[in-house]
Amino acid sequence: MEQDGIGELEGMRSSIDNMDAALIHLLAERFKITQRVGVLKAEKGLPAADPVRERHQIERLRSLAVESHLDPEFAEKLLNFIVSEVVRHHEAIRQAEY
Amino acid sequence: MEQDGIGELEGMRSSIDNMDAALIHLLAERFKITQRVGVLKAEKGLPAADPVRERHQIERLRSLAVESHLDPEFAEKLLNFIVSEVVRHHEAIRQAEY
C-alpha cells in the first residue's frame, strides 16, 4: 500500500479536504460581511468599488503571501477573483434598490 | 462619524482583513501539501491531474457551500482556479525532473 504512495496520497488528500472545508466556511463568512458592506454602501450612496482600498489590500496580501511562502502573484490573482465577485454582488444590491 | 456609515464600514473592513490573512495562511499550507502531492505523483509516475478526484471535490465543496450559504457556482469556480494553479505547479515539478 505505502510502496506505491497511494496511502500517503490519501492522507494528504484528507488534509486538503479539511482545508477546503475551512476555506469555504471562511469565504461564506467573508461574503456575509461584504454583503453588509454592499447594503451600507448602497444606503449611503458610496461607490461599489474602491480602488484605493483594493490597492492597499493587494499590497498587504502580497506581503503576507511572501511571509508564508505563497506565490504573491497567485495571492493577488485570488484577491482580484474574490473582489470581482463582491463587486458583482454590490452592483446587484444597488440595482435591486431601484 | 457613525452617521455616514464610515465607522461601521471601517469595522467591517477590519474583519475582512483578518479573514483575508487567515485565507492566505490557509492557502499557503494547502500549497505546501499539494507540492508534496506533486513530488509524490512525479516520483510514482502518476498523472498530474486526476479528473475523478476533482469531480468529487467539486461536488463536496458545492454541497458545503450550499450549507454555509455561499454561492455553489462561486465555490466551484474558486476550486477550479486553485486546482489550475496546483496543476501548473505539478507540471513544473515534473519538468524539473527531466
Side-chain angles (χ1 to χ4, degrees), chain A residues 3 5 13 16-17 19-20 27-31 33 40 44 50 53 60 68 70 74 78 85, chain B residues 3 5 13 16-17 19-20 27-31 33 40 44 50 53 60 68 70 74 78 85:
Chain A
Q3 203 179 352
R13 283 179 165 178
I16 291 167
D17 287 344
M19 287 182 193
D20 283 348
L27 282 166
E29 197 56 33
R30 191 190 194 280
F31 277 105
I33 299 184
L40 185 73
K44 305 292 178 186
D50 185 338
R53 156 83 175 154
R60 177 172 173 270
S68 55
L70 182 70
F74 174 78
L78 178 79
E85 184 76 6
Chain B
Q3 204 180 352
R13 284 179 163 177
I16 291 167
D17 287 345
M19 287 182 192
D20 284 348
L27 282 166
E29 198 57 31
R30 192 191 194 280
F31 277 106
I33 298 185
L40 185 72
K44 306 292 178 185
D50 184 339
R53 156 84 175 155
R60 178 173 173 269
S68 55
L70 183 70
F74 175 77
L78 179 79
E85 184 77 6

Side-chain angles (χ1 to χ4, degrees), chain B residues 16-61:
Chain B
I16 291 167
D17 287 345
N18 286 340
M19 287 182 192
D20 284 348
L23 202 67
I24 291 294
H25 289 111
L26 193 56
L27 282 166
E29 198 57 31
R30 192 191 194 280
F31 277 106
K32 274 169 66 178
I33 298 185
T34 53
Q35 288 292 105
R36 295 217 311 272
V37 169
V39 170
L40 185 72
K41 281 181 169 180
E43 279 172 4
K44 306 292 178 185
L46 297 164
D50 184 339
V52 174
R53 156 84 175 155
E54 281 162 35
R55 206 157 50 238
H56 286 157
Q57 281 177 292
I58 286 169
E59 283 315 307
R60 178 173 173 269
L61 291 193

Side-chain angles (χ1 to χ4, degrees), chain A residues 51-69:
Chain A
V52 174
R53 156 83 175 154
E54 282 161 35
R55 205 158 49 241
H56 286 157
Q57 281 176 291
I58 286 169
E59 283 316 307
R60 177 172 173 270
L61 291 192
R62 286 185 69 102
S63 156
L64 283 171
V66 170
E67 278 172 33
S68 55
H69 307 289

Side-chain angles (χ1 to χ4, degrees), chain A residues 8-52:
Chain A
E8 195 182 345
L9 185 62
E10 288 305 311
M12 291 192 280
R13 283 179 165 178
S14 158
S15 294
I16 291 167
D17 287 344
N18 286 341
M19 287 182 193
D20 283 348
L23 201 66
I24 292 293
H25 289 111
L26 192 56
L27 282 166
E29 197 56 33
R30 191 190 194 280
F31 277 105
K32 274 169 65 178
I33 299 184
T34 53
Q35 288 290 104
R36 294 216 313 271
V37 169
V39 169
L40 185 73
K41 282 181 169 180
E43 280 173 3
K44 305 292 178 186
L46 298 165
D50 185 338
V52 174

